[in-house]
Every structure is written in C-alpha cells, then in structure tokens.
Amino acid sequence: MSDEYILALRKIRTAFGTQVVHENLDLTLYRGEILGLAGGSGSGKTTLLRQMALLTPAQQGEISLFGENIHKCHEKKLNLLRQRLGIMFQQGALFSGLTVLENIAFPLKEHTDLSKQLINQIANLKLSLVGLPTQVGNKYPSELSGGMVKRAAIARAIALDPELIFLDEPTAGLDPNSAAALDELILSMKKLLGLTVVVVTHDLDTLWHTTDRVALLGNKRVLAVEPMEKLVQNDEPLVQAYFHQNRAQLAKERAWNQK
Amino acid sequence: MHSPPTILFDEHRSAIQCAGAWRLDLLSSVEKQLSAIQLTRPVRWSIDMTGMQQLDFAGALLLTQLFKKVQISGLEEISGLGQEHSQLLQLVAQHALDAGTIGDPAAIPWLERVGRTTANQGRQVVELLAFIGETALSLPNVLQAGKKLRVPEIISAIYHGGVTAVPIVALLTFLMGVVIAFQGGRPLDEYGVNIFVVDLVVLTMLREMAPLITAIIVAGRTGSAYTAEIGTMIVTQEVDALRAMAINPIEFLVLPKFWALVVSLPLLTLLADVMGVAGGILISQLALGVDAVDFIERIPTAMEPSSFWVGIIKAPIFAALITIISCYRGFQVKSSAESVGRETTISVVQSIFVVMVADALFSILFNELDL
C-alpha cells in the first residue's frame, strides 16, 4: 500500500427523490490496498459502489479515478478507464447465452487483438485461478451452482488484468471453505498483481482476513475508515452498534464451543 | 512510464532478452513475433529478464509458452527475474497445466439435423396439446372455487391487452377501410355503380378484415408481452416460487389473460368494424360521390346480419388461440435471456400463423353453412 491514491470521492451527495442516501461523503482509496465497504442495509453501499465503478454518475460532488477527474471525461475516455477496472456483481451477471469460458473470453475478444488461441488460454488460466475445474468452462451459467457463478464472475472481472476490482458480496452464499479460498485468492491477487480491491461485504471473516482498511457507512457518510482491529475499538456509537450484533454472535459461538 | 514489451533472440549467443511491460493491452505484437519464430538449433538458451518492467497474467502466460518452446523447465535458469514476477510465473505455470479449450460446437450431419428437427417439432405439438389440456382442466377448478376467478387480474389484463390497444386498432382499421374503398371504388366508378362500394367495404371489413387485422395486432402486441412476461418470470424463478406456494402457475398466470383477451378481442373487433366502415364512408363521400347518408341507408340491403356475427364470433376463438400459444411459448423459456427473445419471436409468428389458418377454416365452414 502506497500513498498514491487511485480513487478519491469528495463531498458526494446522493438522493433518491426526497430520501438522502449520502451527504458530504469523503473516501480515499490507495493503490494496492484492499478496502472493505461495510454498513447496514440501506446505507448505500451498492449505490456508492456503482458510482465508484462508473456505472452511475455522482449527482453532486467529485470523483477522481486513476488521477482523472471523471466529471471532465468524455464517454470515450471513461470507457478507457472502465477497461482498467473489473467488477463482480452480486448475482454474477454472467451472460446467460454464453458458456463460462466464453464469458471470460468476451472482454478479451472485445478489447485486445490477441490470437484466439491465447485468449482461450488466458480465459482458462483465469478459470483455474478462481478455483474452477476446466470442465466448468463449457457449461452455461444456468447449469452452475451459486458459488460457481460467483467464482466465474470474478474470473470475468479479472479477465483484463485490471488495476482495480470491485467485489459486491463475493463470499455471500458460499460454503465456509470456498469463502476462505476466495479470501486467499483476493489476497494473492493483491500481492502478485498489485491489485487494488474494494469489497462490499457483510462477512466478518472477509473483513478480518483480507482487508487493509474498512470503511463503515452509516448516517449518510463514512463513519470511519480504519483497519479492523482499530475499527472494532472505535467509540462512535453507530460503529459500536454495527459490531455489537456480530460480537454477540461470536460470544454465542464461544459458548457453544464450550459445551 | 512503461515501454512496450520486446523480445530479442540472439542466435549466436543463444540468449533471449525480454524487456518492457508485458501487459495484456500491449501484448499482441510480442505474441505474433513469438508464434512466428522457428527455433532450429537444439541448444540451451539463456533468458535474461532484467529489463522486465511489468508482468501480468497474460504476459506470464505468454512467457510460460516461450519457456516451453525453448525447453526451459525451471525458473532458476532465468536471470534478472524479480521475486514478484517469479511468484506470478509459478502461479501461472501451476494453473496453466490443465487448460481446456473453447469447444466449437461439432458440426451435425444434415440427416441427423433433419431428424432432430422433426422429432423436436413432433414433441412440441404433443407438449402444446398437453398445455391446452392442462389449461382446460384448470378451468372447472376455478369455476368451482368461485371466488378464485381473480377478477382484479382479469380487469388489469383487459386494460393492458384491450383498452390500451384501442388507438392503434382504431387507426389501422380506419386506414384499411380507406384503402379498400379507394382500390375497390375505381373499377366500380368505371361501371357507374358507385353505390356498390358499400357492399364491398362493409362485407370485407365485417366478415374478414376487422377480425383478422385486430387479431394480428393483438398477437403482435399482447401475445408477445405475455410470452416475455412469463418467460422472464421463469428466468427469475418466480414461476418456481408460485409452485412452491402451491399456486398453480397456469391458474394464476394464464387464465386471467385468457379471459381478458376472450372478452376484449370481440370488443376490439367491434371497434374495428365501426372504424373500417367509417374509413369507407369518408372515401366514398370524398372520392366516389356516394353520400354518407346513402351509404348508411344501403348497409341493411348490402349485408345480412349474419355477416356481422360471423366476424364477431371468430374473435374469441382467435383470442383463445393467441393466449394459449403465447403463454405456452412463455413456459418453454429456459433460464437464459436469449431464450426469452427466441420464444417471443416464435410466439408471434406462430400466433399469426394459427390465426390465419383458423380464419381459412372458418371461411370453409361458413361457406358450407351458407352464412
């Protein structure tokens, strides 16, 4: 993690009708870090993610990505920026008419002029990297289990070797082993590729295990951005409230184990 | 900041130099170079990667191919390799072992294709019959239950399938009346029997054109919507959710639409009758010198009341055919976005086809019955 920032949000304000979701929200993402994005339901995690990933423009405020002020960029420039980031959607959003391998190869075919053979190999590599066996490549998304869809979606998100990836609830719906393997994958991608990762998650294991810092959303702003061990000590009542529930859960687990 | 990737082969010293940024978006030139190169001498090559500025998965994959080509097995034989790059190369080598291929669908011999298609068509006919049977069976259930007629759903479906179709049906059938009067009126004018334009317009519109045009519009407009709606509900598992709640999807999704179209298509046909004749009257008045009053007075002599009823009676039959086919097609959707589009197309084509065939059969039937 370096001091160079890759993404900065300044004074973001978002409102749906009369309902204000974000007000004066500031957030900075440094190159090479894994930032967890947590917060209760309705705190606007996904909204914020969509704004950061250039899917919906910010209503007010300023976003700069890869050192460019995105409000001053034309669509063509934005598309170049979009090629440098990958996103894994919560439901996977794999193209249902293509096989898994074709899904991963799709951005490569569109955006590079490499040979079909190499593209094929890259796609297979990504498939293997996310822990899916080769045979899965020839299946259609509708034939996959929920966990496999998530992995295939991550494989497609990293197809173009992006500098920055957004993961929307990557471990939700996965069995504990797969979730842990996925956490490992996120860490290794960061280490080997200098990848910057934003993870929207409720999974405390992921937050503890993978993230460098966690931004907790609440009360229309970022309540705190800190490493987990500091964040759980934070005195802010809303932060405490968020982790209280989970800590109670941990205590229960301990009690169960002592039986 | 980064320079494009390069690869240099020094045949004399059997040395290879890789430098620059081996990055996905810059890689295509090196790839071409690498696939073009033919290594003749079976010597030990040394590889120098001191100038390697950046390496990503795609670049690492290409490098492992190079290693394979010059028969280098371990990374120890490579000089100038950074630690991170070396880790990446190891990771890629691990995962590249069991790479499969994008399967091109095998070409199916034509005879097999003919056979498959035939069998498929046959199966679809059987399935359609099964669907009709299932729908028919759920009718008495609903009638027995009484309150389960789902009146609000029917009214909503009448609004979407019938009421909102009024403008387009009115406009198109009005224009149809205009066209018939224009085209048929000319020859009548030559013989000086302008008044017969009434027979022409009224008979064609009421017996044939009004029910047929209305049915085609509704098939394209509402039938396609039914297929897409049910198909999307299958993709999003909403149909499964209904089944899991012990609600018969046919009872819930098909029957309200069925009743709604059976009610609204005859009413739309009635509107089409009126608008078509109105179009005829307008042209007769303007171009053929037949006064509107004369036109209307002539109508009772021009046609039997049965001609009107023949047109109206066809409408509910058409409505039933359209609903059955479009809903059946909706249930045929497999869980992909593509199949929603495909089934919707098939639904419209088949609905219109079946409506036309039914209309031809009606013509024969009414002819036999002397109506």
Side-chain angles (χ1 to χ4, degrees):
Chain A
M1 179 175 148
S2 68
D3 287 343
E4 182 197 354
Y5 70 83
I6 199 165
L7 176 67
L9 308 177
R10 294 285 171 262
K11 296 200 187 308
I12 296 294
R13 182 182 193 276
T14 309
F16 298 119
T18 53
Q19 186 205 351
V20 180
V21 184
H22 298 138
E23 182 101 66
N24 260 333
L25 184 145
D26 285 356
L27 185 63
T28 308
L29 179 67
Y30 295 99
R31 187 175 285 278
E33 77 169 334
I34 300 181
L35 180 79
L37 202 56
S41 302
S43 59
K45 297 184 296 290
T46 303
T47 310
L48 196 63
L49 186 85
R50 291 180 59 85
Q51 288 172 352
M52 292 195 284
L54 307 180
L55 290 174
T56 36
Q59 293 170 357
Q60 275 176 42
E62 216 170 77
I63 299 179
S64 82
L65 178 66
F66 302 124
E68 309 270 356
N69 183 342
I70 63 166
H71 307 284
K72 290 179 184 155
C73 292
H74 295 295
E75 193 57 28
K76 211 172 164 187
K77 179 83 188 166
L78 285 180
N79 273 334
L80 283 177
L81 292 181
R82 284 189 182 111
Q83 283 183 40
R84 292 166 66 183
L85 54 87
I87 176 162
M88 188 217 90
F89 293 93
Q90 207 169 343
Q91 310 295 336
L94 294 168
F95 302 123
S96 50
L98 302 178
T99 65
V100 170
L101 206 60
E102 284 166 346
N103 260 287
I104 306 171
F106 181 75
L108 292 160
K109 277 185 190 152
E110 290 294 314
H111 292 306
T112 68
D113 45 6
L114 298 175
S115 72
K116 204 176 158 190
Q117 193 198 3
L118 187 63
I119 285 179
N120 185 2
Q121 281 168 335
I122 296 174
N124 266 299
L125 175 65
K126 301 289 153 97
L127 192 68
S128 168
L129 272 175
V130 295
L132 287 176
T134 314
Q135 309 85 277
V136 173
N138 291 324
K139 291 193 173 164
Y140 285 90
S142 56
E143 302 169 308
L144 301 184
S145 69
M148 283 174 160
V149 167
K150 295 252 174 193
R151 291 175 186 222
I154 291 182
R156 189 180 65 177
I158 60 171
L160 285 174
D161 279 322
E163 295 162 54
L164 167 63
I165 60 171
F166 297 96
L167 307 174
D168 196 358
E169 304 268 4
T171 53
L174 294 191
D175 65 275
N177 283 336
S178 313
L182 213 60
D183 288 347
E184 285 304 322
L185 174 69
I186 296 171
L187 278 173
S188 70
M189 286 194 303
K190 174 206 165 189
K191 207 169 79 184
L192 294 172
L193 290 171
L195 204 61
T196 312
V197 186
V198 177
V199 197
V200 172
T201 187
H202 286 295
D203 187 339
L204 277 187
D205 283 333
T206 306
L207 288 177
W208 275 110
H209 198 71
T210 64
T211 59
D212 297 307
R213 295 188 307 156
V214 173
L216 189 64
L217 293 185
N219 204 10
K220 300 171 193 169
R221 64 197 166 87
V222 177
L223 293 172
V225 201
E226 284 171 326
M228 264 308 259
E229 60 266 31
K230 275 196 191 162
L231 190 64
V232 288
Q233 310 288 342
N234 196 312
D235 290 334
E236 165 101 32
L238 285 168
V239 179
Q240 283 302 316
Y242 182 77
F243 287 107
H244 178 77
Q245 189 68 36
N246 294 314
R247 234 189 270 146
Q249 181 69 29
L250 286 178
K252 254 184 254 164
E253 269 170 33
R254 223 172 290 133
W256 175 261
N257 289 335
Q258 278 166 1
K259 269 206 291 198
Chain B
M1 176 167 100
H2 295 299
S3 51
T6 55
I7 181 164
L8 279 177
F9 287 88
D10 188 339
E11 294 265 354
H12 299 294
R13 293 194 294 131
S14 11
I16 302 174
Q17 264 192 340
C18 302
W22 286 55
R23 217 172 62 194
L24 183 68
D25 50 336
L26 305 171
L27 220 53
S28 66
S29 62
V30 188
E31 195 216 345
K32 288 194 187 84
Q33 200 186 342
L34 203 60
S35 60
I37 206 104
Q38 293 290 333
L39 297 174
T40 46
R41 293 186 302 160
V43 294
R44 279 189 78 80
W45 291 83
S46 70
I47 299 187
D48 178 21
M49 305 224 300
T50 323
M52 186 64 74
Q53 291 167 333
Q54 200 185 6
L55 188 65
D56 66 6
F57 275 111
L61 190 70
L62 203 58
L63 275 180
T64 54
Q65 288 181 5
L66 168 70
F67 298 161
K68 215 177 275 169
K69 218 167 184 173
V70 299
Q71 289 167 3
I72 283 180
S73 47
L75 294 180
E76 310 81 50
E77 302 166 55
I78 298 153
S79 59
L81 186 62
Q83 207 211 332
E84 280 181 6
H85 291 173
S86 136
Q87 279 177 346
L88 182 61
L89 278 170
Q90 271 164 7
L91 187 71
V92 168
Q94 257 172 41
H95 285 282
L97 287 178
D98 53 358
T101 48
I102 298 181
D104 285 324
I108 304 170
W110 69 269
L111 191 60
E112 188 181 341
R113 207 155 43 209
V114 171
R116 275 173 194 263
T117 313
T118 313
N120 202 18
Q121 296 289 344
R123 202 177 56 238
Q124 282 193 1
V125 171
V126 174
E127 277 175 8
L128 179 60
L129 288 175
F131 184 78
I132 294 173
E134 218 175 318
T135 312
L137 277 178
S138 61
L139 279 176
N141 280 352
V142 174
L143 294 182
Q144 270 172 7
K147 64 183 176 198
K148 275 205 172 175
L149 202 57
R150 302 188 193 281
V151 176
E153 278 93 348
I154 295 179
I155 288 173
S156 155
I158 289 179
Y159 177 76
H160 289 292
V163 178
T164 55
V166 163
I168 181 87
V169 168
L171 179 66
L172 289 190
T173 47
F174 179 81
L175 291 177
M176 193 49 80
V178 166
V179 169
I180 291 172
F182 243 132
Q183 298 298 329
R186 283 283 154 75
L188 291 177
D189 198 22
E190 279 175 28
Y191 291 103
V193 283
N194 289 2
I195 191 67
F196 278 102
V197 76
V198 181
D199 304 51
L200 178 71
V201 168
V202 171
L203 275 180
T204 0
M205 281 313 295
L206 266 53
R207 280 192 84 103
E208 286 299 327
M209 287 323 253
L212 201 57
I213 295 283
T214 314
I216 289 173
I217 294 171
V218 167
R221 214 182 149 270
T222 314
S224 58
Y226 288 171
T227 310
E229 181 192 326
I230 293 176
T232 311
M233 287 183 76
I234 286 198
V235 173
T236 54
Q237 291 189 309
E238 286 169 63
V239 173
D240 291 341
L242 281 176
R243 276 205 191 97
M245 287 177 227
I247 295 167
N248 181 353
I250 292 186
E251 237 176 81
F252 184 73
L253 294 173
V254 181
L255 287 186
K257 297 179 170 59
F258 182 85
W259 293 124
L261 268 203
V262 166
V263 170
S264 44
L265 198 61
L267 295 175
L268 283 174
T269 306
L270 190 63
L271 171 78
D273 287 347
V274 174
M275 293 307 291
V277 171
I281 290 177
L282 181 78
I283 294 306
S284 306
Q285 173 97 43
L286 292 180
L288 300 171
V290 177
D291 193 56
V293 180
D294 297 338
F295 192 109
I296 293 169
E297 277 178 349
R298 162 111 188 132
I299 291 179
T301 15
M303 56 165 256
E304 303 279 321
S306 71
S307 291
F308 167 73
W309 289 114
V310 158
I312 292 293
I313 206 86
K314 287 195 272 193
I317 311 285
F318 290 166
L321 292 171
I322 292 169
T323 330
I324 295 281
I325 287 177
S326 54
C327 290
Y328 167 68
R329 279 290 142 200
F331 281 108
Q332 287 303 103
V333 165
K334 308 285 176 290
S335 48
S336 78
E338 203 186 354
S339 71
V340 176
R342 192 170 48 232
E343 294 299 333
T344 308
T345 310
I346 297 179
S347 146
V348 174
V349 172
Q350 285 188 348
S351 306
I352 292 177
F353 174 79
V354 169
V355 162
M356 292 288 207
V357 170
D359 193 51
L361 292 178
F362 271 123
S363 289
I364 296 170
L365 176 71
F366 291 142
N367 196 36
E368 293 292 314
L369 293 177
D370 266 338
L371 282 170

